[in-house]
Amino acid sequence: MTSFQFDIGSRARNAGRFIGRVRNELLRALSERKKDEKLSQQQLAKKLEVHRSLINRQLSGEANLTLRSLADLAWAMDMEISFELKKPVVEAGQNQPVTTSTIGHGQIKYIDGGRRRTSLCQKLVASSLAPGEQRNL
């Protein structure tokens, strides 16, 4: 049985987390506006002069949420966007390894149902031995 570990990398992980935070904040703000002023997706769409399905797709993640569309949604909700770049804070329990790539971690091991395979290193050592000489590895 062959086994693989999938690693998306820190770049994609950070982008995904950022997009998720933006979308969650947008949904939270819309939820507050719905409670306070009975603002619906239909009313947002009417104010922005777009179809309600576009607003729904943007909020659910099915359509791209560009900076322009984010600014338009904030405007339609009479809200202001604030943006901040800061160094990440590493805390216990984040479940995130320090390195996120297989680059620099050496040769990938092949696991095949328990059969032993000769590694590249073992082959090189064996080829460098004098004829008749044997070394236990």
Side-chain angles (χ1 to χ4, degrees):
M1 180 171 126
T2 304
S3 176
F4 297 97
Q5 181 179 0
F6 182 71
D7 185 11
I8 63 170
S10 65
R11 181 179 179 180
R13 180 183 299 111
N14 286 345
R17 286 180 179 169
F18 172 71
I19 292 166
R21 284 192 309 268
V22 168
R23 206 165 253 120
N24 286 340
E25 184 65 21
L26 189 59
L27 291 170
R28 185 197 58 74
L30 182 59
S31 177
E32 285 179 9
R33 301 301 277 191
K34 280 182 180 180
K35 288 178 187 175
D36 296 343
E37 301 173 15
K38 308 293 183 208
L39 184 65
S40 67
Q41 288 184 11
Q42 182 65 41
Q43 290 168 323
L44 278 178
K46 187 174 181 178
K47 192 169 182 179
L48 293 171
E49 299 176 352
V50 297
H51 198 272
R52 186 198 56 81
S53 64
L54 175 62
I55 303 295
N56 190 350
R57 288 194 313 270
Q58 287 175 334
L59 295 175
S60 68
E62 295 175 20
N64 284 334
L65 191 58
T66 64
L67 290 175
R68 177 60 190 230
S69 60
L70 180 60
D72 286 346
L73 286 167
W75 172 80
M77 291 188 290
D78 295 323
M79 299 189 87
E80 183 179 297
I81 297 172
S82 69
F83 180 76
E84 177 184 16
L85 285 174
K86 60 183 181 178
K87 294 251 183 206
V89 178
V90 179
E91 297 175 352
Q94 284 184 331
N95 228 9
Q96 178 174 318
V98 176
T99 57
T100 59
S101 176
T102 57
I103 297 173
H105 292 283
Q107 184 178 2
I108 297 173
K109 295 179 182 176
Y110 178 77
I111 302 171
D112 188 19
R115 286 189 281 162
R116 186 173 180 186
R117 293 182 176 261
T118 305
S119 72
L120 178 60
C121 183
Q122 289 171 330
K123 289 177 183 177
L124 289 173
V125 169
S127 67
S128 67
L129 296 175
E133 185 182 353
Q134 187 174 13
R135 190 177 292 168
N136 292 333
L137 299 175

